Amino acid sequence: MMQDVLRLGGRELKSRLFLGTGKFANKMIPQVIAASGAEVVTVALRRVDLEQGEENITACIPKECVLLPNTSGARNAQEAVRIARLAQAMGCGNWIKIEVISDHRYLLPDNFETIKATEVLAAEGFVVLPYMSPDLMAAKKMVEAGAAAVMPLGAPIGSNRGLKTKELVKILIEELSVPVIVDAGIGRPSHAAEAMELGAAAVLVNTAVATANDPVAMGRAFGLAAEAGRTAFRAGPGAVSDYASASSPLTGFLHD
Amino acid sequence: MMQDVLRLGGRELKSRLFLGTGKFANKMIPQVIAASGAEVVTVALRRVDLEQGEENITACIPKECVLLPNTSGARNAQEAVRIARLAQAMGCGNWIKIEVISDHRYLLPDNFETIKATEVLAAEGFVVLPYMSPDLMAAKKMVEAGAAAVMPLGAPIGSNRGLKTKELVKILIEELSVPVIVDAGIGRPSHAAEAMELGAAAVLVNTAVATANDPVAMGRAFGLAAEAGRTAFRAGPGAVSDYASASSPLTGFLHD
Amino acid sequence: MMQDVLRLGGRELKSRLFLGTGKFANKMIPQVIAASGAEVVTVALRRVDLEQGEENITACIPKECVLLPNTSGARNAQEAVRIARLAQAMGCGNWIKIEVISDHRYLLPDNFETIKATEVLAAEGFVVLPYMSPDLMAAKKMVEAGAAAVMPLGAPIGSNRGLKTKELVKILIEELSVPVIVDAGIGRPSHAAEAMELGAAAVLVNTAVATANDPVAMGRAFGLAAEAGRTAFRAGPGAVSDYASASSPLTGFLHD
Amino acid sequence: MMQDVLRLGGRELKSRLFLGTGKFANKMIPQVIAASGAEVVTVALRRVDLEQGEENITACIPKECVLLPNTSGARNAQEAVRIARLAQAMGCGNWIKIEVISDHRYLLPDNFETIKATEVLAAEGFVVLPYMSPDLMAAKKMVEAGAAAVMPLGAPIGSNRGLKTKELVKILIEELSVPVIVDAGIGRPSHAAEAMELGAAAVLVNTAVATANDPVAMGRAFGLAAEAGRTAFRAGPGAVSDYASASSPLTGFLHD
């Protein structure tokens, strides 16, 4: 099998796991990243605030990783754009995950404002990855606006509920020309593998790792699962059938 | 984290994937075993028939693997016992997977005859792994009869349908004192990971690997998934919730 | 469409809902039965104890209903047989639901003891309905032993979890010559409808009705759902497809 | 229990089933409506074309029903608005279901154009029911634009796949101030009951009835199921639990 890489924003990524750092103690981050194999790591801008001194989260992230700041806290396109520019000015590079949220119970993204922010930031040269509600028409508009990939949610952020939007995510994967990266809701390695088996380009995990008793081990588990799912997708899985089909020869020599 | 091994029949197994060989061309078997990392490999006795000469499947299985002959073709306890003894006489060792099947559409196991065969063979010193319909009382009788583990089905053999008996398998895992190894129905790596996350001791996969376009890659995918699920089980996964929970700090510095 | 009745034990039943009374205050029972339309009503023998005087539950059950005493409390076949005979002696008729349970956490039935009790009681002329773990071979043995129907569980008793054993119950429906009545676990009307859509002959509901805020309304809801599911099964449902299919003409006159 | 009605567009509806007519032979429509109890019936404008003479579908719909023309065929807001006005001019009343679709494989709605059409038509006094992709922020915008209810899809139109967007629809029900009517994908009565149990105000069914072998019986089945689900929602269902809970008294008098 040929080398399998995800090309995104001029990078070639081997790992299909993106890791969020929003709920970690900073000192644990390097170990979790190493165990998971993640090459793309998200950070919320508040945590990169330069005045935090040695608490600066970006210092905890290995240089070879792609830093993916998110616009967490933004309630509209304008705020998201402002956060993105700040992140770039602070040295976080030109990748940006757009998160625009005004719903406080389910933290669902606002596709409308997200499209606007995507357009502005893509035009400025950012590699834009919008977090989104899995709606095909909205996703197409994000692609037109210059998104490098789309990040539909599997379930509400932090819920660990799994790939509950599977039917809609499958359609995005089938119909879009950009990578689909499942973000939010992925709570178990089996969920990550399932998303990858459907053809997702990657999965982003944060809460599921951060809330495990042993986050380092859980990071490793997700890294393995993302690879398992991707490998299976490429290996061409067999058909699912209603009936049984003997996996051992049944016609018995005992009955001859 | 301490070294994690599955102790079974006097062996210490590192891999949680058991591999079936029922649908493979013999020459492909060594590669698939190597890619998957499996240490326990099932064979149907017909395939080990000594008269088959170089086609003898056991010659394809690395010496360090545990050979797990099954009694495929047996319609009752007596036939299963006879096949087990033959397997031992042929040099296949003393592990045996009991399969007693008289239903030809769904290939469902006969728990009653399986218990009888378990009792006879365990008394003769076999390491007995019964393939079974996931019924708690039947499983308890198998354990009393001397089973080293039980192998409940996830879905009909060869169907690739997944862990459709999850509710019942969970109960077996909780209530039994022996390892529970999910057998049959596991069609995707995500299914294998899910079983392991529930606390299964291992999973057996055959059709899903054999029917993939690239069985070697698929074997590897299942090996990774079994490890991912087991690692997650040991890492202590976080809670699942109905509502969202921010993984990034939401109170925005933009709004100060 | 021809009149649709369930023939069982010499009766012709129009309702496909069996109602359990185990968790009700006696005085509420007549109303719930009337609202649900149930024609078969289960009672636990303890509640029919003649010495209870006016609390005697059987006095609450309309004469036109079939009384279905269960052997709740039995831990083996012998006890179940003894309870069945007592029920008959007390005037509860000759229908009996066999429940043999020795697991106290999940209240799972013992198929082995249940088969034995079925054989004895069927030979004595009882109309025997065994509560069972959904195992095809066990069900076949119950049928051979004289069961008038089989009652596989959908999920543990009282859990309201739904038809979690769907894959196995479907196989029983397909492979057996007697009616399959889903018992235990049915927690919502949609679960009851789903079981009937698969071809179940009836569903038994107890906890879901008894624990509702308004048990009379919930009884009515389950009666409607059982009828809806049965009607749909007979109406021959259309195919399920992966893709969309316009239900309105799409070629627009606007574009002519 | 108090009388339960759905107040919408100045009407008080008793039935929670909306019926689509897009795939029926006209002559069958009156019977199906009668059997289902539906009080709101959708029609595609092409079918109401006055020049069709006696084939005019509106002639088949009982006067007491609310006619709900849809804008099927519209690819943008402008076309939807034009169809709505035409429908009104043709005497179809002032209810309108907005359907704007430009995706031909999954027939997914365009929330953006739908919001625009909602705004225009609501301002003109239409009772606007937009068919939509289940996105909370889009739904809020439709409500702000004057929608009388929102109609999120359960699965692609005509697929009979069921309530695959359950997680998102639940959130709409919880967060919106207008009725949520599940449209598209509902393929079995159990799906309709499930939607109603979640708190949907109504369900719209078309393909599932039209493609049944016996559409009249299937219409009746869906009418019963919608009522069952609604009744259960109002009856206050009991909790779902992981463990079993005896529905019959277990402490046996046999063991005293």
Side-chain angles (χ1 to χ4, degrees):
Chain A
M1 214 181 257
M2 278 179 27
Q3 172 75 350
D4 174 47
V5 296
L6 171 58
R7 287 189 179 77
L8 198 61
R11 297 286 296 245
E12 294 200 342
L13 305 166
K14 277 179 223 140
S15 167
R16 300 292 177 151
L17 180 69
F18 288 19
L19 193 70
T21 59
K23 289 181 162 172
F24 285 96
N26 284 3
K27 63 175 184 176
M28 185 174 273
I29 292 175
Q31 271 179 282
V32 174
I33 292 175
S36 71
E39 294 170 89
V40 178
V41 178
T42 69
V43 292
L45 191 53
R46 173 169 281 273
R47 302 194 83 185
V48 299
D49 186 338
L50 292 175
E51 300 179 29
Q52 284 179 309
E54 64 184 348
E55 275 300 306
N56 186 337
I57 196 178
T58 59
C60 310
I61 296 173
K63 296 304 164 214
E64 61 273 23
C65 285
V66 177
L67 213 57
L68 177 58
N70 65 43
T71 66
S72 173
R75 293 166 306 184
N76 53 45
Q78 201 182 354
E79 291 180 0
V81 167
R82 188 175 151 205
I83 297 176
R85 289 173 183 157
L86 269 171
Q88 194 176 38
M90 279 166 164
C92 293
N94 73 333
W95 287 44
I96 189 77
K97 175 181 160 193
I98 302 181
E99 264 189 53
V100 180
I101 289 174
S102 54
D103 155 56
H104 291 302
R105 185 172 223 168
Y106 292 104
L107 304 176
L108 293 172
D110 185 324
N111 285 347
F112 301 83
E113 295 295 313
T114 300
I115 292 165
K116 287 183 214 166
T118 298
E119 194 158 18
V120 172
L121 293 169
E124 294 183 11
F126 280 89
V127 176
V128 182
L129 292 86
Y131 172 57
M132 68 168 306
S133 185
D135 172 55
L136 178 60
M137 293 303 140
K140 285 184 173 176
K141 287 182 202 296
M142 290 173 195
V143 174
E144 283 163 26
V150 294
M151 305 186 80
L153 62 95
I157 291 179
S159 68
N160 280 344
R161 294 175 69 76
L163 191 53
K164 295 296 189 178
T165 57
K166 183 173 171 173
E167 296 287 315
L168 301 173
V169 168
K170 266 164 62 177
I171 293 173
L172 297 193
I173 291 170
E174 227 179 286
E175 299 291 313
L176 298 180
S177 57
V178 301
V180 173
I181 300 170
V182 178
D183 184 6
I186 301 296
R188 301 283 180 268
S190 55
H191 305 158
E194 185 186 15
M196 298 305 301
E197 288 160 11
L198 290 179
V203 291
L204 190 154
V205 178
N206 188 344
T207 300
V209 172
T211 62
N213 290 343
D214 181 343
V216 175
M218 192 58 93
R220 190 168 160 269
F222 273 98
L224 293 166
E227 188 178 351
R230 177 66 188 174
T231 305
F233 174 74
R234 297 186 77 223
V240 175
S241 64
D242 279 353
Y243 296 100
S245 156
S247 47
S248 296
L250 279 180
T251 52
F253 60 84
L254 289 168
H255 318 310
D256 296 344
Chain B
M1 214 181 253
M2 279 179 27
Q3 171 76 349
D4 174 47
V5 296
L6 170 58
R7 288 189 178 78
L8 198 61
R11 296 286 296 246
E12 294 200 341
L13 305 165
K14 276 178 225 142
S15 168
R16 300 293 178 150
L17 180 68
F18 288 20
L19 193 71
T21 59
K23 288 180 163 171
F24 284 95
N26 284 3
K27 63 176 184 177
M28 185 174 274
I29 293 175
Q31 270 179 283
V32 175
I33 292 175
S36 72
E39 295 170 271
V40 178
V41 178
T42 68
V43 290
L45 192 52
R46 172 170 279 272
R47 301 194 84 185
V48 299
D49 186 337
L50 293 176
E51 302 180 27
Q52 284 180 308
E54 63 185 349
E55 275 300 305
N56 186 339
I57 195 178
T58 58
C60 311
I61 297 173
K63 294 305 163 215
E64 61 274 21
C65 285
V66 177
L67 213 59
L68 177 58
N70 66 42
T71 66
S72 172
R75 295 165 306 185
N76 55 43
Q78 201 181 355
E79 291 180 1
V81 167
R82 189 174 149 204
I83 297 176
R85 289 174 183 156
L86 269 171
Q88 194 176 40
M90 280 166 161
C92 293
N94 72 333
W95 287 44
I96 190 78
K97 175 182 160 193
I98 302 181
E99 265 189 53
V100 180
I101 289 172
S102 54
D103 155 55
H104 291 301
R105 185 172 222 169
Y106 291 104
L107 304 176
L108 294 173
D110 185 324
N111 284 347
F112 301 84
E113 294 294 313
T114 299
I115 293 165
K116 287 185 213 165
T118 298
E119 193 159 18
V120 172
L121 294 169
E124 293 182 10
F126 280 89
V127 176
V128 181
L129 292 88
Y131 173 57
M132 67 168 306
S133 185
D135 172 54
L136 179 60
M137 294 304 139
K140 285 184 173 177
K141 287 183 202 296
M142 289 172 195
V143 174
E144 282 163 27
V150 294
M151 305 186 80
L153 62 96
I157 292 178
S159 68
N160 280 344
R161 293 176 70 76
L163 191 53
K164 295 295 189 179
T165 58
K166 182 173 171 174
E167 296 287 314
L168 301 173
V169 167
K170 265 164 63 179
I171 294 174
L172 297 193
I173 290 170
E174 225 179 289
E175 300 291 312
L176 298 180
S177 55
V178 301
V180 173
I181 300 168
V182 178
D183 185 7
I186 302 297
R188 299 285 180 267
S190 56
H191 305 156
E194 185 186 16
M196 298 307 299
E197 288 161 10
L198 291 178
V203 291
L204 191 154
V205 178
N206 188 343
T207 301
V209 172
T211 62
N213 289 344
D214 181 343
V216 174
M218 192 58 93
R220 189 167 160 270
F222 273 99
L224 293 167
E227 188 178 351
R230 176 66 187 175
T231 304
F233 175 74
R234 297 186 77 222
V240 175
S241 65
D242 278 353
Y243 296 99
S245 157
S247 49
S248 295
L250 279 180
T251 53
F253 61 86
L254 288 169
H255 318 311
D256 297 344
Chain C
M1 215 182 254
M2 278 181 25
Q3 172 75 350
D4 174 47
V5 296
L6 171 57
R7 288 190 178 78
L8 198 62
R11 297 285 296 245
E12 294 199 341
L13 305 166
K14 276 177 225 140
S15 168
R16 300 293 178 151
L17 180 68
F18 288 19
L19 194 70
T21 60
K23 287 181 163 172
F24 286 96
N26 283 3
K27 63 174 183 179
M28 185 173 272
I29 293 175
Q31 271 178 282
V32 174
I33 293 174
S36 71
E39 295 170 89
V40 178
V41 179
T42 68
V43 292
L45 191 53
R46 171 169 280 272
R47 301 194 83 187
V48 301
D49 185 339
L50 292 176
E51 301 179 28
Q52 283 179 308
E54 63 184 349
E55 275 299 308
N56 186 336
I57 196 177
T58 59
C60 310
I61 296 173
K63 294 306 162 213
E64 60 274 22
C65 285
V66 177
L67 213 59
L68 178 58
N70 66 43
T71 65
S72 171
R75 295 166 305 187
N76 55 44
Q78 202 182 354
E79 291 181 1
V81 167
R82 190 174 148 205
I83 296 176
R85 288 173 183 157
L86 268 170
Q88 193 176 40
M90 279 166 161
C92 292
N94 73 332
W95 287 44
I96 190 77
K97 175 182 160 191
I98 301 182
E99 265 190 51
V100 180
I101 289 172
S102 54
D103 155 54
H104 292 301
R105 185 171 223 172
Y106 292 104
L107 304 176
L108 294 172
D110 184 324
N111 285 347
F112 301 82
E113 294 294 312
T114 299
I115 292 165
K116 287 185 213 164
T118 299
E119 191 157 21
V120 172
L121 293 168
E124 293 182 12
F126 280 89
V127 176
V128 182
L129 292 86
Y131 172 57
M132 69 169 304
S133 186
D135 171 55
L136 178 60
M137 293 304 140
K140 285 184 172 176
K141 287 183 202 294
M142 289 174 197
V143 174
E144 282 163 27
V150 295
M151 305 186 80
L153 62 95
I157 291 179
S159 68
N160 281 344
R161 293 175 70 76
L163 190 54
K164 295 295 191 179
T165 57
K166 183 172 170 175
E167 296 287 313
L168 301 173
V169 167
K170 265 165 62 179
I171 294 174
L172 297 193
I173 290 170
E174 225 179 287
E175 299 291 312
L176 297 181
S177 56
V178 302
V180 173
I181 300 169
V182 177
D183 186 5
I186 301 296
R188 299 284 180 267
S190 56
H191 304 158
E194 186 186 14
M196 298 306 300
E197 287 160 12
L198 290 179
V203 290
L204 191 154
V205 178
N206 188 344
T207 300
V209 172
T211 62
N213 289 344
D214 181 343
V216 174
M218 193 57 94
R220 189 166 161 272
F222 273 99
L224 292 167
E227 189 178 350
R230 177 66 188 174
T231 304
F233 175 74
R234 297 186 76 223
V240 175
S241 64
D242 278 352
Y243 295 99
S245 156
S247 47
S248 297
L250 278 182
T251 53
F253 60 85
L254 288 169
H255 318 311
D256 296 346
Chain D
M1 214 181 256
M2 279 179 26
Q3 173 74 351
D4 174 47
V5 296
L6 171 57
R7 287 189 179 78
L8 199 61
R11 297 285 296 245
E12 295 201 341
L13 305 166
K14 278 178 222 139
S15 168
R16 300 292 179 151
L17 180 68
F18 288 19
L19 193 70
T21 60
K23 288 180 164 172
F24 285 97
N26 284 4
K27 63 175 183 178
M28 186 174 273
I29 293 176
Q31 272 178 281
V32 174
I33 292 175
S36 71
E39 295 169 89
V40 178
V41 179
T42 67
V43 291
L45 191 54
R46 171 169 281 273
R47 301 194 83 185
V48 299
D49 185 338
L50 292 175
E51 301 180 27
Q52 284 179 308
E54 63 184 351
E55 274 300 307
N56 185 337
I57 196 177
T58 59
C60 312
I61 297 174
K63 296 302 164 216
E64 61 274 21
C65 285
V66 177
L67 214 59
L68 178 58
N70 65 44
T71 65
S72 172
R75 296 165 305 186
N76 54 43
Q78 201 181 356
E79 290 180 1
V81 167
R82 189 174 151 205
I83 297 177
R85 289 174 183 156
L86 268 171
Q88 194 176 39
M90 279 167 162
C92 292
N94 73 332
W95 288 43
I96 189 79
K97 175 182 160 192
I98 302 181
E99 266 189 52
V100 180
I101 290 172
S102 54
D103 155 55
H104 292 301
R105 185 173 222 171
Y106 291 104
L107 303 176
L108 293 173
D110 185 324
N111 285 347
F112 301 83
E113 295 294 313
T114 299
I115 291 165
K116 287 184 213 164
T118 298
E119 193 158 18
V120 172
L121 293 168
E124 295 183 10
F126 280 89
V127 176
V128 182
L129 292 87
Y131 172 58
M132 69 170 302
S133 186
D135 171 53
L136 179 59
M137 293 304 139
K140 285 184 172 176
K141 287 183 202 294
M142 289 173 196
V143 174
E144 282 162 27
V150 294
M151 305 186 79
L153 62 95
I157 292 178
S159 70
N160 282 342
R161 293 175 70 76
L163 190 54
K164 295 295 190 180
T165 57
K166 183 174 171 173
E167 296 287 313
L168 301 173
V169 167
K170 266 165 61 178
I171 294 173
L172 297 193
I173 291 171
E174 226 179 286
E175 299 293 312
L176 297 181
S177 57
V178 302
V180 173
I181 300 169
V182 178
D183 186 7
I186 301 296
R188 300 284 181 266
S190 56
H191 304 158
E194 185 186 15
M196 298 306 299
E197 288 160 11
L198 290 180
V203 290
L204 191 154
V205 178
N206 187 344
T207 300
V209 172
T211 62
N213 289 344
D214 181 344
V216 175
M218 192 59 93
R220 190 167 161 271
F222 273 98
L224 293 167
E227 189 179 351
R230 176 67 188 173
T231 304
F233 175 73
R234 297 186 76 223
V240 174
S241 64
D242 278 353
Y243 295 100
S245 157
S247 47
S248 297
L250 278 181
T251 54
F253 60 85
L254 288 169
H255 319 311
D256 296 345

